[in-house]
Amino acid sequence: MNSTALIFLFVTVLASAQNISFVCDAYNELEAKTTCCPNGYALHYGLPLCTRFIEYEPTFDPEGQAFLHCVRPCLTDYVRVNITAASFNLFQRNATLCLQKSPTNCASISSDAFESHVPCYEKCNFCQVVANNTIPFSKAFQIAPFLTRQATEQVRQLGANCLRNSISFVGGIFGITLI
């Protein structure tokens, strides 16, 4: 490999790492202000999932990639505006607090963050892209670490909403009003 190709590879990898850092930084900001630690929303769910979606983005079709470009800022902006800013005065910035932190506060932060998922996914046309991107979605989610009660409930809610929208669409084609 010549030196020009090696430099290009290095710059590409560096740019990719900086992009992940910049795009997913809302979760680091949340953790820095709340220190909920490895089992909190930011480090256990938000940041890992954000980085996995960036990693698997090239495997999504163009509509799936458009979904990712829409949903990522929707979720991170919600965290920045509605949780990180509101949580700033609730916690001290001290990593030793991980073991002393009230689980109620961290659970509340997680619950608040999860509240943004279904609206953001729907706003970004999840129902229209999921069928053609099932494999990339399943690889990005890699089930086990993200299988929480809240995540499972959101998958159920999104599935029900997508099904309801599909039925309404078909009913509209045939002039049938569905309740």
Side-chain angles (χ1 to χ4, degrees):
M1 183 180 281
N2 68 30
S3 61
T4 304
L6 193 56
I7 291 171
F8 176 75
L9 178 63
F10 175 75
V11 170
T12 303
V13 169
L14 183 62
S16 176
Q18 287 176 337
N19 185 39
I20 288 172
S21 175
F22 175 74
V23 169
C24 301
D25 224 23
Y27 302 108
N28 289 321
E29 293 168 19
L30 177 63
E31 180 57 27
K33 291 188 174 150
T34 62
T35 59
C36 287
C37 304
N39 292 326
Y41 174 84
L43 296 183
H44 181 72
Y45 197 89
L47 182 61
L49 199 54
C50 184
T51 57
R52 286 191 63 78
F53 272 113
I54 289 172
E55 177 185 348
Y56 285 98
E57 185 174 328
T59 65
F60 283 79
D61 69 14
E63 291 80 16
Q65 290 178 10
F67 165 81
L68 295 176
H69 289 210
C70 174
V71 80
R72 198 175 296 125
C74 183
L75 296 170
T76 57
D77 288 350
Y78 184 89
V79 165
R80 278 192 178 103
V81 171
N82 296 297
I83 301 170
T84 304
S87 300
F88 183 72
N89 294 322
L90 296 177
F91 299 95
Q92 296 176 16
R93 234 179 131 173
N94 184 343
T96 61
L97 292 177
C98 288
L99 299 176
Q100 303 166 3
K101 179 86 42 242
S102 165
T104 304
N105 291 334
C106 291
S108 174
I109 288 168
S110 181
S111 180
D112 289 349
F114 271 106
E115 283 182 24
S116 69
H117 291 202
V118 172
C120 283
Y121 272 53
E122 288 179 340
K123 171 188 166 205
C124 296
N125 300 316
F126 174 78
C127 296
Q128 287 74 33
V129 302
V130 68
N132 291 334
N133 291 280
T134 304
I135 292 172
F137 272 115
S138 63
K139 285 181 180 179
F141 277 114
Q142 201 182 35
I143 302 299
F146 306 114
L147 193 58
T148 65
R149 181 188 57 75
Q150 289 169 309
T152 304
E153 174 56 26
Q154 289 186 335
V155 168
R156 187 205 62 74
Q157 187 179 352
L158 272 170
N161 292 354
C162 290
L163 182 60
R164 188 177 314 109
N165 292 342
S166 295
I167 291 171
S168 294
F169 176 74
V170 171
I173 290 174
F174 295 104
I176 302 168
T177 304
L178 302 172
I179 296 175

